[in-house]
Amino acid sequence: MRALVFAAGLGTRLRPLTNTIPKALVSVGGVPMLERVILKLQAAGFDDIVVNTFYFADKVEDFLKEKFPSVRVSHETGEEPFETGGGIKFAEPLLKGEPFLVHNVDILSNANLAELASGVRPGALATLLVYEAEADRYFLFDDDMRLVGWTNVRTGQVRSSLENFDPSRYRKLSFCGIHIISDAIFPLLADWPEKFSIIDFYIQMAATQPIYGVEAKDLKLIDIGSPEKLAEAEKMVKFENCKNTL
């Protein structure tokens, strides 16, 4: 199975750590985030892995050559990162031909990736791993767990391509940055710009394309985007390591 790891981010909120290394190589419990994600993917059966790079790309590539020589690299060459949608579109030559899982490098979780892959519905353009969590922004799903829109409950903003859309009729779930995408997405991306969010794409395409959510029960997840979250992740890893030695 194939996977794409987003590792192009600047990691601005983790400075000064990321003044000299990319966020992907910031360690959690002595292990770089990128290594943790790759090992998790490999354990779940993803044996064809692509890592997208931008910031300190040379350091990421040197790390991969040493630790994971079979992993391929999609090196973004623009003046700034292409964001998630642009990163997928840019990596098309390395991804087309079969479905692929997308995983953010700064996500630490107990998500069962093999189970997610086995739950993809026939014909689905994308399958999003979602969960119940307190947040400002949510994807909205109907009773069949098909994506219908998006909302920011703090600002009251609602987005959907459906007519007469009433967000109160739908279930609000948080997206965890892990999703499986059919390679049928690439013709649909052709007219999109170089830089865009895959979230924007999903919201716009939801009315005409089958995009589904899969709810993860008892999900433990940390988005390591700040020093506080990094410290939380360190505690989580330490706890799991202690538990595994009992």
Side-chain angles (χ1 to χ4, degrees):
M1 294 189 290
R2 184 169 294 168
L4 171 67
V5 180
F6 282 132
L10 304 182
T12 54
R13 290 183 295 160
L14 283 174
R15 290 174 178 165
L17 283 175
T18 51
N19 284 339
T20 55
I21 61 170
K23 178 168 64 172
L25 298 185
V26 171
S27 291
V28 180
V31 180
M33 293 186 208
L34 181 57
E35 182 172 352
R36 286 189 177 278
V37 171
I38 290 174
L39 291 175
K40 183 177 181 68
L41 287 167
Q42 290 178 335
F46 293 88
D47 53 3
D48 183 1
I49 298 172
V50 176
V51 173
N52 95 312
T53 65
F54 178 78
Y55 184 61
F56 284 128
D58 56 335
K59 294 189 176 183
V60 174
E61 293 180 36
D62 288 345
F63 171 80
L64 291 172
K65 286 177 183 177
E66 179 181 351
K67 297 284 292 189
F68 302 100
S70 66
V71 170
R72 297 180 293 160
V73 173
S74 174
H75 179 194
E76 296 182 10
T77 56
E79 294 183 0
E80 56 186 15
F82 293 156
E83 297 188 17
T84 48
I88 291 169
K89 181 178 179 179
F90 182 79
E92 177 181 355
L94 301 178
L95 297 174
K96 63 183 179 181
E98 64 181 79
F100 54 96
L101 181 144
V102 176
H103 198 301
N104 291 347
V105 76
D106 55 2
I107 294 296
L108 179 68
S109 80
N110 64 347
N112 188 326
L113 303 182
E115 187 176 277
L116 174 63
S118 67
V120 172
R121 304 191 198 191
L125 181 70
T127 304
L128 320 178
L129 189 65
V130 293
Y131 66 118
E132 288 191 343
E134 290 294 327
D136 290 337
R137 294 165 291 183
Y138 296 95
F139 274 138
L140 300 169
F141 296 89
D142 66 14
D143 292 340
D144 193 36
M145 286 298 289
R146 181 162 174 166
L147 180 68
V148 293
W150 174 96
T151 185
N152 185 321
V153 296
R154 181 176 57 82
T155 64
Q157 183 183 9
V158 175
R159 297 172 61 191
S160 176
S161 52
L162 298 178
E163 295 183 2
N164 303 316
F165 186 71
D166 179 1
S168 66
R169 296 174 49 198
Y170 302 102
R171 189 173 181 196
K172 302 192 301 291
L173 291 166
S174 295
F175 177 47
C176 70
I178 301 171
H179 38 143
I180 295 180
I181 304 174
S182 167
D183 75 330
I185 196 172
F186 291 117
L188 300 174
L189 295 177
D191 294 331
W192 283 70
E194 181 178 81
K195 178 182 177 181
F196 66 97
S197 167
I198 196 63
I199 303 298
D200 294 336
F201 173 85
Y202 286 155
I203 295 166
Q204 182 169 318
M205 302 302 294
T208 58
Q209 297 293 328
I211 301 170
Y212 294 99
V214 171
E215 184 180 2
K217 301 291 187 180
D218 302 317
L219 182 68
K220 296 178 182 177
L221 181 143
I222 300 176
D223 182 347
I224 312 170
S226 67
E228 295 77 17
K229 289 296 183 180
L230 178 59
E232 187 178 336
E234 291 277 2
K235 291 179 182 178
M236 179 177 171
V237 167
K238 183 177 181 180
F239 173 77
E240 292 298 326
N241 288 343
C242 290
K243 185 173 66 174
N244 292 336
T245 61
L246 297 178

